[in-house]
Amino acid sequence: MTSSPALELDCRDMRCPMPVIELGRHLADVEVGEVIGVVARDVAARVDVPAWCRLRGQEFAGEDTAADGVPRYLVRRVS
């Protein structure tokens, strides 16, 4: 995934389940079709973000890294 997210959430210092709570809180901040990046050090986010997408009917668009090397989980808003 090479395109930049429309919105990047800094969840670096948040522990489970806060990154997905933040994701849910900010989903409406982007248009349908746009991507939100969730930057999180918490290892649970690797499982939690895709699971949240399945439960909420959104698209998990993959994982890359933020500029500082922290994992970034990409979610495309589909509804």
Side-chain angles (χ1 to χ4, degrees):
M1 175 120 284
T2 56
S3 61
S4 296
L7 175 64
E8 184 169 282
L9 303 177
D10 181 2
C11 300
R12 285 172 177 83
D13 297 323
M14 295 180 186
R15 305 215 21 121
C16 177
M18 289 309 297
V20 291
I21 290 172
E22 283 298 297
L23 175 58
R25 207 175 269 162
H26 291 283
L27 184 66
D29 293 350
V30 300
E31 298 295 323
V32 170
E34 290 184 326
V35 173
I36 295 179
V38 180
V39 181
R41 288 190 182 100
D42 189 339
V43 296
R46 180 167 278 134
V47 174
D48 290 350
V49 173
W52 182 92
C53 289
R54 285 191 302 275
L55 290 169
R56 299 287 188 253
Q58 305 303 319
E59 177 188 342
F60 179 65
E63 177 185 337
D64 63 6
T65 55
D68 60 356
V70 175
R72 180 172 66 179
Y73 306 97
L74 304 169
V75 176
R76 184 176 320 280
R77 181 177 175 196
V78 295
S79 62

